[in-house]
Amino acid sequence: MDKGSLTVIVETSNSPYARLHPVPIECVRLEDDFLAPKLKIIQETTIPSQYKLLEDTGRIFNFRRASGREKGDYQGLYFNDSDVYKWLEAAAFSYAYNPNQNLLNKIRNLVDEIAAAQDEDGYLNTYFTFEKKGERWKNLRDMHELYCAGHLIQAAIAFYRATGERKLFDVACRLANHIANVFGPNKRLGVPGHPEIEMALVELYRTTGRTEYLELARFFINNRGKGLIGGSPYHIDHKPFRELDEVVGHAVRMLYLNCGATDVYLETGDKTIFAALMRLWHNMTEKKMYITGGVGSRHEGEAFGEDYELPNARAYAETCAAIANFMWNWRMLLATGDAEFADVMELALYNGILSGISLDGKHYFYVNPLADRGNHRRQEWFECACCPPNIARLLASLPGYFYSTSENGIWIHLYAKSTAKIKLGGNLVTLTQNTKYPWNGEIEITINPAEESAFSLYVRIPGWCKKADVKLNGKNLEGEILSGRYFEINRLWKKGDKVHLSLLMPIERIISHPLVMENNDRVALKRGPIVYCLEKTDNPGFDVWSIVLSDDTYLSAEWKPNLLGGVIVIRGEALAVNTEKFGEKLYLPKTDVKCETRRVKFTAIPYYAWANRERGPMTVWIRSPEKLFS
């Protein structure tokens, strides 16, 4: 983008090797009864409450300490600066979408504290001050200096684009210049133990036009796999990036690395990088991703496991990893225009990401299991608090992911009742969506160009949709409509033209690959983009872990406006197994136990909404022995 352009573009701009280019956040207004209220909660509840927690836990104090404005010991974990920066980015996105003077004042005050903490040489990390100053850049593997720097740069760019104010942006540029003076060819070798800096540097290059930032991002990508940080798969340092064919190690680090590598591809067109990205994407989506779009199955190392290692109650599925999955697929979507990437974005958003925050906007999951006995609950904060501000910045930026443009048209990626004003060439096109999505698959899009003009409108047919109809001004359109693809409508558009998209949205029984051993003889319920679960509070007469769902059971969808903020539930009948025969025994011979069952009525709710009421067992995957024989 041009230097000084005051539009908040989400994470990728007009890159030369991008097929699609984002529409800025402030050009889109969400008006629906699903995402719009969540965005409002982020603005009115989440961002203010998180700022208070940043103060209460000493994270902002650390900046005052570093500048000499306050005395005392450093507080918290060595990477706590990053939580402040992610909050700042969320606040910048929120301000761009809905300007608020009180929020702006709070941001400005925080920017003053950050700027005052910066050293004369541009270095900025509050942990490495005073007695720890001599340890700077000595342990890139573990100490997260480059990770924190990346989050500062991203926050600074977002705030600069939202307001035009340069103070934080200049701080970020000075820090980036310091890093570029330390690392690079003929300088110090190194790579970050926790990727993040790579995508930040590319975005800084896009904002300033200074190629040294892009070259430094390439430097960090190119030096992975040389053993500079120990050579472990956990740090994705076991082989060069271009040779990778499997997502491994710490899930967030892996996916943040992929984000940075995709950004480098979008600026350089390096096909060897893109080939590796595609191998990694297929490995993840085909063998290592939960039905919710969550990733990273192991608690140990917050890591990807082996192929098909997807336990339910022991699932880690960190909220940050689902967010990273969304971020990476966004970049891949811009690079290719392929709807399969938008499908994963939507899956992760409505399930693995939204589950990470409570309906009141003040409590969070770090870990997102797919089965639980009632012990796992959201918390107000964490010692390692990466997830709360991360989900705040993702949801605050959400309007910027709905639309993109290309040389010949406008692309619609996500659906919600909304209005967008999109510049296409020299024309301004207003698009209005009217829909109850994700609860309903009927979507009406009104197109109002300022001037009549010919262009293509690309509407996404989600991969979950087996049958779709597209009408223009009430008449069916010719052409093959394929699920998991964009459907192109090319014409001379006039004011008031209407496209009606009808997506068949039945309740589906989803099964796993047979090698996902824990899900053998089990099904999950899914309707449209929403994954469902059974929770005790809706099913008090039996243990939801004990039910068996037959293939011939009729399932119905029912709108419940007063439940969990308004949701569609799934109702049906199943068999509940009587477990009392076992008494206190854990194991018995099959011949000694007659399996007794009784018919029960059950209610399933959207997975994202679980654990917002009283404690009790929950499960996504339901026993259904017929599944392998249907």
Side-chain angles (χ1 to χ4, degrees), residues 496-513:
D497 281 341
K498 293 184 185 295
V499 172
H500 191 96
L501 181 61
S502 183
L503 306 174
L504 189 66
M505 194 179 281
I507 300 166
E508 297 275 11
R509 292 168 167 86
I510 306 297
I511 64 173
S512 294
H513 189 287

Side-chain angles (χ1 to χ4, degrees), residues 160-182:
Y160 172 57
R161 289 175 175 171
T163 64
E165 297 185 13
R166 291 194 60 98
K167 188 169 188 177
L168 186 63
F169 185 73
D170 289 341
V171 168
C173 289
R174 289 183 64 210
L175 175 56
N177 293 341
H178 171 83
I179 295 169
N181 288 333
V182 174

Side-chain angles (χ1 to χ4, degrees), residues 21-66:
H21 308 294
V23 170
I25 288 173
E26 62 269 31
C27 296
V28 181
R29 308 303 303 180
L30 300 182
E31 305 159 7
D32 71 343
D33 55 5
F34 183 72
L35 290 177
K38 296 183 187 308
L39 197 60
K40 185 177 182 181
I41 288 172
I42 292 293
Q43 296 169 335
E44 296 181 356
T45 301
T46 304
I47 288 175
S49 64
Q50 287 189 4
Y51 184 86
K52 183 179 184 300
L53 286 161
L54 293 172
E55 282 279 21
D56 292 347
T57 59
R59 285 164 167 81
I60 297 176
F61 162 82
N62 288 335
F63 288 92
R64 300 189 186 109
R65 172 184 178 270

Side-chain angles (χ1 to χ4, degrees), residues 522-582:
R522 291 180 180 271
V523 298
L525 301 179
K526 192 167 181 277
R527 184 177 182 273
I530 304 293
V531 175
Y532 281 76
C533 70
L534 273 64
E535 198 174 16
K536 178 184 178 180
T537 187
D538 304 298
N539 303 282
F542 56 92
D543 192 319
V544 297
W545 281 30
S546 75
I547 75 165
V548 181
L549 180 63
S550 63
D551 286 348
D552 59 3
T553 295
Y554 174 74
L555 301 174
S556 63
E558 180 180 342
W559 172 244
K560 303 289 288 184
N562 298 318
L563 179 66
L564 299 166
V567 296
I568 280 185
V569 301
I570 294 175
R571 296 192 186 279
E573 287 191 355
L575 297 176
V577 177
N578 182 3
T579 60
E580 295 178 1
K581 287 283 186 178
F582 278 78

Side-chain angles (χ1 to χ4, degrees), residues 12 57 71 105-106 175 252 310 321 325 338 357 403 416 437 483:
T12 352
T57 59
K71 302 295 182 182
N105 292 340
K106 191 169 290 186
L175 175 56
V252 177
L310 294 167
N325 193 14
D338 290 342
I357 186 169
Y403 299 93
Y437 197 88
S483 63

Side-chain angles (χ1 to χ4, degrees), residues 400-448:
Y401 296 103
F402 269 71
Y403 299 93
S404 295
T405 60
S406 61
E407 290 183 0
N408 66 331
I410 297 172
W411 300 62
I412 305 177
H413 307 310
L414 301 173
Y415 298 113
K417 186 176 181 181
S418 58
T419 301
K421 296 184 180 298
I422 301 172
K423 291 181 180 179
L424 186 65
N427 202 0
L428 180 65
V429 181
T430 300
L431 292 184
T432 303
Q433 287 191 41
N434 188 20
T435 180
K436 293 292 185 180
Y437 197 88
W439 309 122
N440 187 295
E442 302 299 318
I443 304 154
E444 184 180 78
I445 305 160
T446 303
I447 298 92
N448 283 310

